[in-house]
Amino acid sequence: HQLGIAFAVLDRMQREGVECLELVYRCLIEACGRCGDTERAVEVLTTMHRAGITPDSSVYNCLFRAFSMDVRVFLIMDVLVVVVVVVS
């Protein structure tokens, strides 16, 4: 589906050394939320950190919205732990 295409584009950009802006990651997190794929949304957050990009509040808002659309909302606690560890 379309989300797979978006991740394929991100992978290609990374392989070719194209620097991704925070906006790219934020939009991908939002797309994951719309598709109900919170696990991939967290993967995007991890990828941002590895790329040296510090997520801002708009990124975390997208992430929390993604989880709010997921019936497995209890997983948000794991994300909060990641956020606290990263921010600390």
Side-chain angles (χ1 to χ4, degrees):
H1 68 32
Q2 300 293 335
L3 190 56
I5 294 170
F7 273 92
V9 170
L10 178 65
D11 288 341
R12 184 170 180 182
M13 290 173 71
Q14 291 171 336
R15 281 194 318 271
E16 294 185 8
V18 175
E19 185 177 342
C20 293
L21 301 173
E22 175 268 337
L23 174 66
V24 173
Y25 293 108
R26 184 169 19 108
C27 290
L28 194 51
I29 289 170
E30 186 173 347
C32 289
R34 290 175 187 255
C35 293
D37 196 340
T38 53
E39 291 171 14
R40 278 183 129 179
V42 173
E43 287 177 25
V44 173
L45 182 67
T46 302
T47 302
M48 283 183 74
H49 287 291
R50 284 192 203 128
I53 298 174
T54 302
D56 62 11
S57 61
S58 63
V59 171
Y60 287 117
N61 283 335
C62 285
L63 189 65
F64 290 125
R65 276 195 306 271
F67 274 91
S68 71
M69 292 183 227
D70 191 332
V71 294
R72 301 169 298 160
V73 111
F74 65 90
L75 292 175
I76 194 121
M77 298 308 288
D78 290 336
V79 173
L80 288 173
V81 170
V82 170
V83 169
V84 169
V85 169
V86 170
V87 172
S88 298

